[in-house]
Amino acid sequence: SVIGAVTILLLISISFFAPYIAPYDPAAIDVRHTLSPPSKTHPLGTDELGRDLLSRIIWGSRTSLKVGFVAVGIAIMTGIMIGSISGFYGGVIDAVLMRFVDMMLAFPTFFLILAVIAILEQNIFTIMAVIGLTSWMDVARLVRAEFLSLKEKDFVSAARAVGVRDMRLIFRHILPNALSPVFVAATFGVAGAILIESSLSFLGLGVQPPEASWGNILTAGKDNIEVAWWLSLYPGLAILITVLSYNLVGEGLRDALDPRLWEAEK
C-alpha cells in the first residue's frame, strides 16, 4: 500500500509538472524520425508521426488522472445523494431508488458508455461525465447499507430528540460516519475509470488525437506492433503501474478502515 501511495504521488507530480518535464512537445511531428526505436534522443522511441513517445506518455498521464478523479468525483457525489436518501427514509423511497439502482446495474456498463459517447460529442468532458454517471451504483449501495445501520444508533435518536432537521441529520451527523467504505470505493473507482478511458481511447471513442492519452497511444502501437514494439509496451506499462497502485492503496484503506479486521487480528 505504501509503495502504491508513493507511486500515485509520483504520477500526480509528473502530470502536474508535465510542461516542464516532457522533453518535447507531445504534438510535434518530425517525419525524419518516424517509428524510431528508443535512443538517447528519444528515450522511449517515437510513433508513426515522429512524435516523442516519452513526452506523449507524460502528457497522457494528465489525461488519465484527470478523467479518473473527475469521473469518480461525479460517481461519489451521485452515489452519496441517492444512497443516503434511500437508507435514511426507507419504505417506498428506498424501494423505488433501489429498483432504479438495480435497473442501472442490469445494463452492461461499458456498452452503455460506448452507446452514449457514440451519440454525443467525443471530448474529455463527455467522457468524464458519462463514466461518472454510469459508475455510482456501488457507492449508492454502500452508503445505503451504512445508513440503515447508523440511523438506529443512539446519537441519531438524540439528534432527533432535540429537533434536528432531516437534511442536517443526514449530512452533518450520519454521513461523516458512513464515509469509510466510500473512500475505499473511490480509490478502486479511479483505477476503473482510467481503464475505461484507456479502452475508449483505444477504440477511437475517447480522447482524440493530437491530444495524448495512453489509450490512443496504444492504438498506434496496435497498428505498428510488428515494427514498433515500444508503442505498445511503454503505455501499457503506464496503465498497469497506475491501476495496480490504486488497487494496492484501496486494499490498504480497506484493511485500515474495517474494524472487523482489527478484531480478527487481535
Side-chain angles (χ1 to χ4, degrees), residues 209-225:
E211 187 174 355
S213 165
W214 292 339
N216 61 33
I217 297 173
L218 278 173
T219 301
K222 171 184 69 68
D223 296 334
N224 300 279
I225 188 68

Side-chain angles (χ1 to χ4, degrees), residues 135-167:
S135 307
W136 54 267
M137 292 78 74
D138 290 336
V139 176
R141 284 188 159 188
L142 287 171
V143 173
R144 171 183 177 270
E146 292 293 316
F147 265 71
L148 289 175
S149 173
L150 290 170
K151 72 178 184 179
E152 306 298 332
K153 300 293 184 181
D154 290 341
F155 73 91
V156 176
S157 300
R160 288 183 186 276
V162 297
V164 175
R165 295 179 180 271
D166 286 352
M167 289 297 105

Side-chain angles (χ1 to χ4, degrees), residues 23-239:
Y24 299 93
D25 181 349
I29 296 174
D30 184 359
V31 294
R32 298 170 301 174
H33 296 93
T34 58
L35 297 178
S36 296
S39 62
K40 291 183 179 179
T41 307
H42 300 283
L44 300 185
T46 63
D47 64 9
E48 74 280 6
L49 297 177
R51 296 173 295 191
D52 182 66
L53 184 58
L54 176 59
S55 300
R56 290 185 65 75
I57 288 177
I58 289 173
W59 279 89
S61 67
R62 272 193 161 190
T63 302
S64 296
L65 294 177
K66 187 189 303 181
V67 170
F69 287 129
V70 175
V72 167
I74 294 172
I76 293 297
M77 294 300 296
T78 306
I80 284 176
M81 290 295 296
I82 293 178
S84 58
I85 292 172
S86 178
F88 183 80
Y89 289 106
V92 176
I93 294 176
D94 180 40
V96 171
L97 291 176
M98 285 302 102
R99 296 301 73 76
F100 177 62
V101 171
D102 292 339
M103 182 181 70
M104 289 295 296
L105 287 171
F107 285 103
T109 303
F110 189 72
F111 292 105
L112 177 61
I113 293 172
L114 283 177
V116 174
I117 289 180
I119 296 170
L120 301 177
E121 183 182 357
Q122 295 177 23
N123 57 50
I124 191 170
F125 302 105
T126 301
I127 293 168
M128 292 187 293
V130 171
I131 294 175
L133 292 174
T134 55
S135 307
W136 54 267
M137 292 78 74
D138 290 336
V139 176
R141 284 188 159 188
L142 287 171
V143 173
R144 171 183 177 270
E146 292 293 316
F147 265 71
L148 289 175
S149 173
L150 290 170
K151 72 178 184 179
E152 306 298 332
K153 300 293 184 181
D154 290 341
F155 73 91
V156 176
S157 300
R160 288 183 186 276
V162 297
V164 175
R165 295 179 180 271
D166 286 352
M167 289 297 105
R168 183 179 177 85
L169 190 58
I170 291 172
F171 294 107
R172 182 69 181 272
H173 295 274
I174 302 178
L175 183 59
N177 294 286
L179 289 179
S180 294
V182 175
F183 291 139
V184 177
T187 308
F188 288 120
V190 172
I194 290 173
L195 277 177
I196 292 173
E197 182 277 324
S198 299
S199 302
L200 292 171
S201 297
F202 179 78
L203 294 172
L205 294 172
V207 177
Q208 299 299 306
E211 187 174 355
S213 165
W214 292 339
N216 61 33
I217 297 173
L218 278 173
T219 301
K222 171 184 69 68
D223 296 334
N224 300 279
I225 188 68
E226 295 180 355
V227 296
W229 53 267
W230 53 91
L231 287 177
S232 299
L233 176 63
Y234 295 121
L237 284 176
I239 295 171

